[in-house]
């Protein structure tokens, strides 16, 4: 049974300085927070909401609410709601921040961090600009700032694309006109060789020998995470968020079936076989709550503390076995995220005195090895791709394959 509808949804303070109320999943802005106008608009709105059976009428218009309140207050004004309270870029970003928190709920989600950084940049440079005045030239100005900051061309194009999506969301919330979003799409992306933005090096597979050398300097938990990733080709974020409930153990072959993943919104059902070394590595982490994370930073910290105590030259008194602070400011979390996983790998690679590498290069390593052994279709199935072109991105033809092909080329 669903939760009953509130008879009077709460009026809240919004980061834009306005009062806002959420009805039928839609944020309705009422004007300056706690002003007589916003309180009156809220009262009239709730009355209409209750009279319509706790729903907004199909023909609902905030302009009608504003006009009714103006008559009640005796202002005699019939101005538009947005004309009284102009929507600025800062209002748009504040609205999108709330939407992003609902969409990216996992702690430390890189997409949420990226959205927050972009909103900060827009607030700093264009925050007071009226949202409907933010056009291709303003978007180009922000892009030039990123170029001057030394950010790579491809990443800048991704950033610009997210700004366009932010304004698309603003259209859905009736914060800006549809034409504003359409104008932003007119800005062409930066093309290779036609801009001063530097080109980032493509991601290449890491050598398995480098991975093995690095693994010697990892904690047992991180080493097992790496074993699972190498054996399955999972994304770093998928390895970090593994839970017993996500592993189907009903058949002879265990299958990783996450409830949430990157391509779930496209109708892709993720299924990764947990066999051989992956199964051996994860088996000892399944004897916990079904929704608990398999790989815990807290367990890594406990292991490290045990290693430090064992390495002490003087014995620790029983009363001093737990010398941790009672309420430390920084505590280990319930699970790793892609950033902490990457940092641990790079720290270990430095100790191993091998070239620095990232966990995502392991995915490229697995994809290339599988393609070379059993073909592109098997690599595509393992990585969970819908398009062959995406798998090709991960499995750039190895030099050895090119050499073999050249040996069979015809002669004049």
């Amino acid at each position: 049974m669903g939760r009953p509808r509130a008879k009077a949804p709460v009026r809240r303070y919004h980061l834009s300085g306005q009062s806002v109320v959420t009805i039928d999943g839609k944020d309705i802005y009422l004007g300056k927070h706690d002003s007589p106008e916003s309180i009156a608009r809220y009262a009239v709105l709730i009355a209409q909401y209750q009279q319509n059976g706790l729903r907004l009428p199909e023909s609902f218009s905030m302009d009608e609410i504003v006009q009714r309140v103006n008559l009640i207050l005796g202002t005699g004004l019939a101005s538009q709601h947005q004309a009284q309270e102009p929507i600025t870029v800062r209002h748009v970003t504040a609205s999108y921040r709330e939407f992003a928190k609902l969409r990216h709920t996992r702690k430390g989600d890189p997409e949420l961090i990226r959205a927050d950084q972009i909103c900060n940049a827009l607030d700093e440079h264009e925050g007071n600009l009226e949202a409907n005045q933010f056009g291709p030239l303003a978007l180009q100005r922000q892009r030039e700032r990123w170029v001057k900051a030394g950010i790579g061309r491809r990443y800048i194009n991704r950033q610009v694309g997210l700004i366009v999506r932010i304004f698309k969301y603003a259209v859905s919330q009736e914060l800006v006109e549809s034409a504003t979003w359409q104008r932003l799409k007119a800005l062409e992306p930066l093309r290779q060789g036609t801009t001063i933005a530097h080109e980032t090096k493509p991601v290449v597979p890491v050598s398995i020998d480098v991975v093995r050398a690095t693994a010697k300097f990892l904690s047992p938990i991180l080493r097992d995470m790496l074993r699972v990733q190498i054996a399955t080709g999972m994304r770093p974020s998928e390895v970090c968020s593994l839970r017993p409930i996500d592993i189907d153990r009903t058949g002879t072959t265990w299958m990783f079936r996450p409830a949430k993943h990157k391509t779930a919104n496209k109708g892709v059902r993720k299924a990764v076989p947990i066999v051989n070394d992956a199964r051996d590595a994860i088996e000892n982490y399944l004897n916990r709550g079904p929704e608990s994370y398999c790989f815990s930073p807290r367990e890594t910290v406990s292991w490290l503390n045990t290693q430090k105590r064992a390495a002490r030259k003087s014995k620790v008194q029983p009363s001093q076995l737990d010398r941790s602070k009672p309420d430390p400011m920084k505590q280990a979390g319930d699970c790793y995220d892609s950033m902490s996983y990457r940092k641990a790998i790079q720290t270990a690679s430095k100790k191993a005195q091998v070239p620095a590498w990232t966990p995502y290069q392991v995915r490229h390593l697995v994809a290339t090895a599988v393609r070379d052994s059993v073909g592109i279709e098997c690599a595509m199935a393992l990585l969970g791709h819908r398009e062959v072109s995406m798998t090709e991105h991960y499995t750039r033809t190895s030099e050895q394959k090119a050499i073999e092909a050249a040996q069979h080329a015809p002669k004049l």
Side-chain angles (χ1 to χ4, degrees):
M1 182 176 179
R3 181 183 298 178
R5 286 176 173 265
K7 293 184 178 180
V10 178
R11 178 175 63 90
R12 316 183 307 277
Y13 173 79
H14 191 265
L15 293 174
S16 63
Q18 300 190 63
S19 289
V20 63
V21 59
T22 302
I23 300 179
D24 290 345
K26 178 180 179 181
D27 290 338
I28 300 174
Y29 296 87
L30 304 168
K32 186 177 180 181
H33 187 61
D34 281 345
S35 66
E37 291 82 7
S38 68
I39 295 173
R41 290 168 190 166
Y42 174 74
V44 173
L45 175 65
I46 294 302
Q48 189 179 79
Y49 166 75
Q50 292 175 346
Q51 291 169 5
N52 197 53
L54 303 186
R55 290 185 180 276
L56 291 177
E58 292 184 3
S59 59
F60 169 76
S61 171
M62 193 59 198
D63 295 333
E64 295 180 5
I65 300 293
V66 172
Q67 291 177 15
R68 289 174 61 181
V69 169
N70 288 339
L71 292 175
I72 294 172
L73 297 178
T75 59
L77 299 175
S79 57
Q80 298 291 322
H81 174 59
Q82 286 192 358
Q84 292 182 338
E85 298 289 343
I87 301 297
T88 65
V89 171
R90 200 180 304 277
H91 298 158
V92 169
T93 57
S95 179
Y96 189 81
R97 287 180 201 267
E98 298 302 318
F99 167 72
K101 289 177 183 177
L102 295 175
R103 185 175 183 181
H104 307 289
T105 56
R106 185 169 54 83
K107 182 181 178 181
D109 193 310
E111 292 300 318
L112 180 60
I113 295 173
R114 190 164 71 95
D116 196 50
Q117 291 173 342
I118 290 178
C119 288
N120 288 341
L122 290 177
D123 288 349
E124 179 182 356
H125 300 288
E126 310 287 347
N128 295 326
L129 181 66
E130 188 172 342
N132 281 320
Q133 299 301 317
F134 187 88
L137 292 179
L139 183 57
Q140 192 169 349
R141 287 197 300 269
Q142 181 56 51
R143 188 171 70 179
E144 289 301 319
R145 295 185 190 106
W146 285 326
V147 171
K148 292 179 181 178
I151 299 176
R153 177 186 62 84
R154 288 183 294 179
Y155 192 69
I156 289 176
N157 285 338
R158 286 184 60 193
Q159 304 282 77
V160 170
L162 181 52
I163 292 179
V164 175
R165 292 198 300 276
I166 289 174
F167 275 81
K168 179 182 179 181
Y169 175 75
V171 172
S172 72
Q173 299 300 300
E174 297 185 3
L175 296 178
V176 299
E177 299 172 357
S178 176
T180 303
W181 165 50
Q182 295 293 340
R183 288 198 305 270
L184 293 178
K185 294 197 295 183
L187 184 64
E188 288 287 330
L190 297 175
R191 305 291 183 186
Q192 185 173 2
T194 61
T195 175
I196 61 172
H198 80 273
E199 294 294 329
T200 54
K201 296 181 179 179
V203 180
V204 296
V206 60
S207 166
I208 189 63
D209 293 330
V210 170
V211 176
R212 287 169 178 158
T214 303
K216 296 176 181 178
F217 293 87
L218 292 173
S219 69
I221 294 174
L222 284 161
R223 194 181 305 123
D224 287 336
M225 290 174 66
L226 192 55
R227 288 173 64 190
V228 171
Q229 191 184 6
I230 291 175
T232 61
M234 289 185 190
R235 295 181 177 89
S237 59
E238 293 171 341
V239 177
C240 293
S241 59
L242 263 174
R243 303 174 302 170
I245 196 174
D246 297 325
I247 301 177
D248 181 2
R249 289 170 275 171
T250 56
T252 55
T253 300
W254 291 2
M255 300 295 291
F256 169 57
R257 305 183 192 275
K260 296 180 180 179
H261 57 90
K262 185 176 180 180
T263 54
N265 61 333
K266 298 180 181 179
V268 177
R269 298 180 64 184
K270 185 85 174 182
V272 180
I274 305 295
V275 298
N276 302 331
D277 198 40
R279 182 162 174 167
D280 293 340
I282 204 172
E283 199 162 10
N284 293 331
Y285 296 90
L286 301 179
N287 56 347
R288 57 191 66 200
E291 297 190 4
S292 300
Y293 295 105
C294 292
F295 305 114
S296 169
R298 289 176 182 167
E299 293 178 13
T300 296
V301 171
S302 178
W303 178 83
L304 289 172
N305 290 337
T306 301
Q307 294 299 109
K308 289 178 181 179
R309 284 195 293 269
R312 283 176 61 95
K313 294 183 179 179
S314 59
K315 293 183 179 180
V316 179
Q317 299 299 320
S319 60
Q320 296 180 331
L321 285 177
D322 185 7
R323 305 175 68 183
S324 59
K325 295 180 180 179
D327 189 20
M329 295 183 64
K330 188 175 181 181
Q331 300 182 10
D334 294 329
C335 74
Y336 286 93
D337 56 40
S338 55
M339 295 180 68
S340 58
Y341 182 34
R342 173 175 179 161
K343 185 176 180 180
I345 292 291
Q346 293 184 328
T347 299
S349 66
K350 187 175 182 180
K351 292 180 180 179
Q353 298 181 349
V354 296
W357 56 279
T358 68
Y360 230 101
Q361 288 180 266
V362 172
R363 186 167 164 85
H364 288 255
L365 165 66
V366 175
T368 301
V370 171
R371 172 187 169 156
D372 289 351
S373 300
V374 289
I376 188 71
E377 291 184 358
C378 291
M380 182 178 173
L382 183 62
L383 270 61
H385 291 154
R386 298 178 65 194
E387 305 288 341
V388 174
S389 59
M390 190 61 191
T391 310
E392 290 282 2
H393 167 72
Y394 281 87
T395 59
R396 293 181 178 86
T397 305
S398 63
E399 290 185 3
Q400 184 59 40
K401 288 291 183 181
I403 293 172
E404 292 177 11
Q407 295 292 346
H408 294 83
K411 300 177 182 179
L412 182 63

